[in-house]
Amino acid sequence: QVQPVESGGGLVQPGGSLRLSCAASGSTFSIDAMGWYRQTPGKQRELVAAITRGGSTNYADSVKGRFTISRDNAKNTVYLQMNSLKPEDTAVYYCNVREAKGSLYYDFWGQGTQVTVSS
């Protein structure tokens, strides 16, 4: 079992920046990809950004050029640097940690952290 714990959400003005962190504990030796998703009321959870153990990244089109995902494998921690924030970035952000065991994958989720972009 892997337990992801997020931190770093909050209230920020449009154009501002926030940095989210997610530290994974437990069976961390088999962690593969790590990523961030977000969800607003009435909508499905959507991918924001993901990063593999080797450092390959994937971003939603809506955040390209503004958000940067990174990870520290030694600390089993993934970060999301969010710049030039817009009101439409307001959501609950969830950390996702994917564990790989042979040909099987298991997803673990954090509890979520609220990001509110408002003046």
Side-chain angles (χ1 to χ4, degrees):
Q1 288 278 334
V2 176
Q3 294 87 40
V5 178
E6 304 109 335
S7 61
L11 173 64
V12 64
Q13 292 187 341
S17 298
L18 278 177
R19 189 192 194 208
L20 305 183
S21 300
C22 173
S25 61
S27 302
T28 58
F29 60 90
S30 55
I31 289 177
D32 184 16
M34 304 179 80
W36 291 93
Y37 288 69
R38 65 187 181 188
Q39 189 171 23
T40 55
K43 291 189 176 182
Q44 286 190 329
R45 193 172 295 187
E46 64 174 4
L47 173 70
V48 177
I51 184 168
T52 66
R53 176 171 285 275
S56 296
T57 58
N58 182 35
Y59 293 93
D61 287 342
S62 59
V63 307
K64 283 180 181 177
R66 300 187 298 122
F67 290 11
T68 302
I69 190 169
S70 61
R71 67 187 281 177
D72 184 332
N73 290 332
K75 296 181 179 179
N76 297 306
T77 300
V78 62
Y79 307 95
L80 185 68
Q81 178 66 44
M82 304 185 292
N83 298 329
S84 302
L85 282 160
K86 305 175 181 179
E88 51 263 44
D89 293 318
T90 296
V92 178
Y93 283 70
Y94 295 91
C95 175
N96 170 264
V97 176
R98 174 159 290 185
E99 184 182 24
K101 290 186 174 180
S103 60
L104 299 178
Y105 293 88
Y106 301 90
D107 285 316
F108 298 90
W109 297 91
Q111 78 283 0
T113 184
Q114 178 70 46
V115 171
T116 302
V117 184
S118 175
S119 55

